[in-house]
Amino acid sequence: MPSTGETNQALPVYFIGHAGVGLLFDDRPVMQTARANLREIGKEILALNPRPKAIVAFSGHFEAGEIHGPGVIEVNVKKQTHIQHDFVNDFHDSKPFVYEYDWPHRDGPEMAAQLWHHLRNAGIKAKRVERGVDHGVWVPFKVMFPEETPLDIPLIQISTFHGYDLESQIRLGEAIQSLRHEGYLIVGSGMAVHSFASIQEIADTPGEEERRTVRAKVLAESKSFDAHLKGVVTKKDARERKEALLKLEELYEFRRSHPTIEHFTPLLVAAGAAGDAEVVPLGVDLVEPGMSYLNLRFS
């Protein structure tokens, strides 16, 4: 079981803004900076001492399925996992090369089965599933761990809860907090702001001047929520941070920034797993209309 081999030194927890597959080929300055931010985090992870025995990843693209009902977590125990080309857009005509991307990596199915037991022992309903690695993990990890410095640590994917109960996501993080003392590095991969609805609103606005006005409004909303979130998540006291994170849902900017919440929940899992850890933003803060690429380290 994961409870063996406990050490006094806890590994950090990370939250990364994973972006889409455009992260791998888009040469706009914002994407160049996003890649530079992630590369530095990758170097930091490879230099950790003690060295992690596995990375446990929670992605905005892996919610537990409705088929298992509410309150159930899924643990991927598949051997030799493939990567999923699970993109929001259909690139077959415009950029067919994205379906040729690969990301060689190591799996940890035996450790994944142990984590399934750990969750069940913590009172969480958990199911074992077999799936591929979604782009919320392999796309940023492909940047963080390029061919010259590959990731040689096994990867385990665990889902977030399905649905809108935000407090349950923090409880999930709290249930795996002890794993940080047992060699597991926890990484949440989502977006601090993720609103395709807002981006579409800009695109649908007729007239260049009107479109600029709507774009400025959306950018202001995104920056406002990004700032609110940083102010809240960097609180060191775990209980105070938890209460403040849950209150974010009351903000107008929250629903504008997260019309669906699957990209926000990995941050809540990370925060729950961090306990009273100190939290610092990493790299250059990047906010676009409807998107924020915030990266955090809890240590």
Side-chain angles (χ1 to χ4, degrees), residues 116-258:
W116 170 72
H117 280 291
H118 176 89
L119 290 170
R120 287 165 59 88
N121 289 340
I124 291 177
K125 297 176 183 178
K127 300 284 187 179
R128 289 167 291 185
V129 299
E130 301 206 2
R131 71 192 298 275
V133 179
D134 62 71
H135 82 266
V137 174
W138 71 262
V139 165
F141 278 36
K142 191 174 177 70
V143 174
M144 292 161 66
F145 309 106
E147 290 182 7
E148 58 270 24
T149 53
L151 179 67
D152 58 354
I153 301 167
L155 172 71
I156 300 165
Q157 267 207 272
I158 297 178
S159 78
T160 57
F161 284 110
H162 177 82
Y164 283 80
D165 180 1
L166 300 187
E167 189 172 2
S168 69
Q169 313 290 355
I170 297 179
R171 289 198 302 270
L172 172 60
E174 292 168 346
I176 60 170
Q177 186 180 142
S178 64
L179 298 179
R180 297 174 56 211
H181 293 273
E182 299 163 17
Y184 291 93
L185 180 72
I186 297 166
V187 177
S189 177
M191 299 286 283
V193 175
H194 184 268
S195 179
F196 283 125
S198 295
I199 294 170
Q200 191 63 46
E201 180 183 347
I202 297 169
D204 290 344
T205 301
E208 188 174 336
E209 185 175 346
E210 293 85 353
R211 195 175 301 116
R212 279 199 299 267
T213 300
V214 174
R215 187 181 190 280
K217 175 180 76 78
V218 172
L219 180 58
E221 293 167 349
S222 299
K223 286 185 173 181
S224 175
F225 185 74
D226 183 78
H228 270 107
L229 178 58
K230 281 186 291 188
V232 164
V233 78
T234 50
K235 295 178 183 293
K236 189 173 180 182
D237 180 80
R239 193 166 99 177
E240 184 182 355
R241 185 198 303 138
K242 176 180 179 178
E243 292 175 355
L245 280 169
L246 295 177
K247 284 183 179 178
L248 287 175
E249 194 175 12
E250 300 171 6
L251 297 175
Y252 164 79
E253 294 89 348
F254 176 85
R255 195 56 66 185
R256 292 287 295 169
S257 299
H258 293 283

Side-chain angles (χ1 to χ4, degrees), residues 45 49 111 225:
I45 289 174
N49 186 20
M111 285 185 285
F225 185 74

Side-chain angles (χ1 to χ4, degrees), residues 96-119:
F97 61 86
V98 301
Y99 299 100
E100 298 175 10
Y101 282 134
D102 199 3
W103 179 60
H105 61 281
R106 291 178 57 193
D107 300 316
E110 294 81 10
M111 285 185 285
Q114 291 175 355
L115 297 187
W116 170 72
H117 280 291
H118 176 89
L119 290 170

